[in-house]
Amino acid sequence: QPFDWFCVFDVEATCRENNNGWAHEIIEFPVVLIDARSFSVCDEFRSFVRPLINPELTDFCTQLTGITQDQVENAPTFPEVLKLFESFLSKHQIKHSRMAFITDGPWDIRDFVRNQCVYSNIKLPSYLSSYIDLRRMFTKFYGRKEGKRANLNGMLSLLGMQFEGREHSGIDDSRNIARIVLRLMDEGCVFDSTKS
Ligand code: AMP
Ligand code: MG
């Protein structure tokens, strides 16, 4: 594997039933850290994030994600969470160039993180400028046809696995994505290509 570390990542964001024109702010920033040399999960990072444009979560959002008003109200802001995450990387002596993010589809980084950086008026950190899209890797590895890309539950079920925990909880989504990643690594899939 060309990387030593993988950060499996699945953000949750503010939302409402009809998202048209809604500014999605990140409210949960969870990472499951995989050591690619031992093919194992070695740590987790998780922080809730305080939204500033729409500080009050909708009931719909709390029902979808399980995230409560209390959890976001006292949470650090997005730039503060990035600093905490960078300390987490330092603690593990992770070189940014030897680490890659893995997400389920392009949305987490291409849309949620990029937009959040605009809302927070900060530069996109270099370590978030590219990522590995698990759905693409999965499709390529198993030779499934384009357009037959399976979602998280679809990939689990194709592997004979079931979702563990609560769907749309960022940390549980990340843990389940990590289970698929480990299974693919076990079967010889090389996680090399990243996409900006
Ligand atoms: P997920 O990783 O599937 O839990 O989704 C990430 C984020 O996308 C959620 O935190 C919501 O902000 C938004 N989202 C996902 N599913 C829905 C939905 N059915 N309706 C509205 N927003 C959604
Ligand atoms: Mg999720």
Side-chain angles (χ1 to χ4, degrees):
Q1 305 275 352
F3 297 104
D4 297 329
W5 304 94
F6 293 108
C7 287
V8 178
F9 181 60
D10 185 279
V11 294
E12 300 305 323
T14 62
C15 57
R16 59 182 177 187
E17 197 151 10
N18 171 5
N19 280 326
N20 273 346
W22 181 263
H24 290 287
E25 294 171 272
I26 293 178
I27 52 174
E28 183 181 358
F29 187 108
V31 167
V32 173
L33 181 66
I34 292 180
D35 184 334
R37 296 158 301 186
S38 61
F39 298 108
S40 61
V41 170
C42 57
D43 204 356
E44 288 181 351
F45 172 89
R46 183 198 201 191
S47 181
F48 293 106
V49 188
R50 180 153 45 95
L52 300 177
I53 300 171
N54 292 293
E56 296 274 332
L57 299 185
T58 62
D59 291 342
F60 176 83
C61 184
T62 293
Q63 270 166 28
L64 181 79
T65 63
I67 300 171
T68 63
Q69 186 62 32
D70 273 359
Q71 286 172 315
V72 294
E73 211 152 281
N74 299 308
T77 61
F78 185 71
E80 291 166 346
V81 170
L82 287 181
K83 291 271 174 294
L84 295 171
F85 175 65
E86 285 159 20
S87 306
F88 170 85
L89 294 179
S90 303
K91 183 181 83 184
H92 287 280
Q93 298 180 304
I94 295 174
K95 274 204 199 139
H96 293 182
S97 61
R98 300 293 304 160
M99 178 270 277
F101 272 81
I102 301 180
T103 56
D104 171 30
W107 308 280
D108 293 80
I109 290 174
R110 186 194 66 193
D111 301 333
F112 290 120
V113 169
R114 272 174 196 260
N115 289 338
Q116 183 63 59
C117 287
V118 174
Y119 303 147
S120 299
N121 204 10
I122 55 168
K123 242 182 100 210
L124 181 74
S126 58
Y127 54 81
L128 277 163
S129 64
S130 60
Y131 56 89
I132 296 171
D133 178 347
L134 175 65
R135 285 193 200 190
R136 288 172 70 107
M137 294 296 290
F138 190 97
T139 307
K140 206 168 94 184
F141 187 66
Y142 289 110
R144 292 164 61 79
K145 288 214 174 69
E146 287 287 317
K148 285 224 159 183
R149 234 166 247 180
N151 61 18
L152 183 48
N153 271 315
M155 289 188 281
L156 286 167
S157 107
L158 283 162
L159 297 172
M161 296 156 87
Q162 279 190 339
F163 193 97
E164 290 172 359
R166 186 192 193 289
E167 285 181 52
H168 302 296
S169 149
I171 191 70
D172 286 347
D173 284 348
S174 304
R175 287 172 182 155
N176 282 282
I177 298 167
R179 289 169 64 215
I180 300 173
V181 171
L182 290 176
R183 172 72 178 269
L184 260 65
M185 284 180 173
D186 215 39
E187 296 195 12
C189 178
V190 178
F191 285 74
D192 52 0
S193 62
T194 56
K195 197 175 145 56
S196 308

